[in-house]
Amino acid sequence: MAKPTVWAIIPNLLRSLFRPDVPLRSKILLLAGIIYLVSPIDLLPDVIAGIGWIDDLVIVPLLGWLSYKSLPPSVKSDMASTDSEGPTKSRKWLYLLILIVVLIGIVMLTGPDDSFLKTPSAG
């Protein structure tokens, strides 16, 4: 069995959510990682610059890895065979474009805090 690359595992893991032959445990672990990634509730608040992202960088890949490890060997070999040659350049650009759009969306939604520009009213 060929060992799939990360570029092949991530999209196939997301596709595995809709496969009937994938165990419920694997689906729950993967969904927990996705929900934790987008949830505003974290172990370390994201407001703390840099430190708040450490828990996301540890917990989300850990849950993805546990989800992959809990897959049956037949599903793992099917994932390896579908993308054994690796993603094409266009697919890598698509993933990069999606990442950039998500990051721009996060920046636009969070925006700068301009409350310091408001003058307090005397009164």
Side-chain angles (χ1 to χ4, degrees):
M1 175 172 82
K3 190 167 186 164
T5 64
V6 173
W7 288 104
I9 291 174
I10 293 173
N12 283 327
L13 265 179
L14 294 175
R15 279 189 224 116
S16 74
L17 288 172
F18 304 104
R19 290 180 61 158
D21 57 341
V22 173
L24 185 62
R25 176 182 179 205
S26 180
K27 291 179 180 183
I28 288 174
L29 286 169
L30 187 60
L31 281 174
I34 293 170
I35 290 170
Y36 187 81
L37 182 65
V38 298
S39 171
I41 301 170
D42 283 337
L43 293 177
L44 296 172
D46 290 340
V47 180
I48 305 170
I51 297 173
W53 296 327
I54 291 175
D55 63 334
D56 292 337
L57 292 174
V58 171
I59 292 174
V60 173
L62 177 67
L63 288 172
W65 178 76
L66 289 172
S67 174
Y68 179 74
K69 287 296 183 183
S70 68
L71 290 173
S74 62
V75 176
K76 286 182 187 179
S77 65
D78 188 32
M79 284 184 177
S81 66
T82 53
D83 283 333
S84 61
E85 72 279 349
T88 61
K89 288 190 178 234
S90 64
R91 197 178 304 170
K92 285 183 182 180
W93 284 108
L94 175 65
Y95 297 149
L96 182 62
L97 179 67
I98 291 171
L99 177 66
I100 290 171
V101 167
V102 167
L103 289 175
I104 289 172
I106 290 171
V107 168
M108 290 178 72
L109 288 174
T110 55
D113 182 23
D114 60 349
S115 61
F116 65 91
L117 296 175
K118 297 177 184 170
T119 57
S121 59

